[in-house]
Each structure stands twice: as C-alpha cells, then as structure tokens.
Amino acid sequence: MSSLPQKADLWQSTLNWQPSDRQQAQFQTLYTEILSGNQRLNLTRITEPDEFWEKHLWDSLRGIFPGDQLGIGENQTGIQAIDIGTGGGFPGLPVAIAQPTWQLKLVDSTRKKIQFIQDSLLPLKLTNVRCLVDRAEALGQDPKHREQYDLALIRAVATASCCAEYVIPLLKVGGTAVLYRGQWTDDEQAELTEALEILGAELHHCDRFTTPLTDGQRTCLILRKTSPTPDDYPRAIGIPTQHPIV
Ligand code: SAH
C-alpha cells in the first residue's frame, strides 16, 4: 500500500494548520480508497503520493484557508457547505476531514462517482457528509437547496462565470463561494464580475498563490452573495455552458 507523506511543517508554514493523527489517518484512507476506486472508475490522473498530497489534499484545503478572507468566521461551527461537481470528492472530502464541525453536501451529476463517495464514507469515518446525484442547474431551482448554504466550493467544472451561475443561487445572502482556478486572466475576471452583477454577488477577493511542491499557479476567487439571485438563474440544464451568462 502506498503511503502518503505527512508534511506537517509544510501544512503549518502554508496554511497555519496541521492534521491531527485522526485526520492524517483519514487522508491516508482517502488516498487508498481513491487508488482502488480508480481501477473501476476514472476518478483522477493524480496518483503518486506527493502529487496526491499537493494537487488533491493541499489544493482542496488551501481554498478554505485563505488567511482571514473567507469571512465565514474563524471558529464558526455548523457551517452548511456544498461542493458542486465533486467528482472523486474534491475539494469536498478533504474539507470534510479538516472541518469536522461543518456539514458538507457533495454533488455530482455522475451516479457512479457519487456511489464511490458514499461507499467511502464509512471507511473514512465521516459523519458530516451527504451525497447527492444531481445537476447544479436543478438544485439551484429546488427550494430545498436554493439559498440554503453558507459556503459553496467548485473546482474544475466549467468556466468561472458558469461556475458562478451554478453556485451563487445556492448561497444564502451573505454566503461565500470559492471558485478554484488555475491560471487567471483579466478577461476572465471582467467576465466574472459582469456575471456576478446579474447573479447578486461580488468578487470579494482574488487569491493568487503557487502550490508548495511544484510551484503551479493557482487562483481562488472568493465571492460574496449580496442580494437574492433573480428567479431566472440558474437557467435550464445545459444552458449555462451552451449560452454563457455574459
Ligand atoms: N471537482 C473535482 C472533479 C472535477 S471534474 C476535482 O476538482 O477533482 C468535473 C465534475 O463535474 C465531473 O465529475 C462532472 O460529472 C461534474 N459536473 C459537470 N457539470 C455538472 C453540473 N452541471 N452539475 C453537477 N455536476 C456537474
């Protein structure tokens, strides 16, 4: 069995946080589950221990530890968070491990990926995660989910403005979304800012950083919902990708 590096000093120096023994064991279990799930499902290309540590664990958690910019309160418990297009569980599963007092909803439109996550919850000893097979466009118009979340996370799903259309309707007014991006251009930022105006949100912080092992460029866009989203959004399934909002 491959074992994951611990890298306590790097966690500390980059995120001012370290996994407990229990959390380190959960990361290891997650790694083992992903490697075995990968034999049946196409979950990730990232399988080497250091790469998994950096691109899945560290990257997932960097998005929720941006200094004091997240603005959901340092020690706040009972946060309702949602990860849209979670795939093999990123960033949602590392976040659920690191924040055991938060409630996480992990959503993907692919049933077999969600089934994989569901089956992993017991070995991972996670009781703060619920899984759902659905489309972001449907959830955003469902009163059980619309305007119900304090925090929404979305990584590697669509263009930034499309991701915004998926997640902003799900947030309570005052809630926060984190869009995980790689490289980030001024054009993308202009387009996102226009989309947010329509959706009732604003760009609170553009967090640029590099990954600690391979120096890869990343940008997390931290969005704040400022007013209720107009009823027309999100638009019907498939429309946000086919007809960009701006
Ligand atoms: N967030 C993960 C997976 C990214 S792959 C990671 O960063 O590793 C993109 C995932 O988004 C796929 O699993 C796909 O099924 C899902 N997806 C794409 N569009 C979606 C939508 N509209 N609603 C729900 N899930 C969606």
Side-chain angles (χ1 to χ4, degrees), residues 56 84-88 90-91 107-110 113 134-137 155-157 166:
H56 281 328
I84 292 292
T86 192
F90 302 102
V107 180
D108 203 282
S109 52
T110 306
K113 293 186 182 177
D134 215 331
R135 300 270 319 191
E137 301 93 314
R155 188 179 87 161
V157 174
Y166 288 161

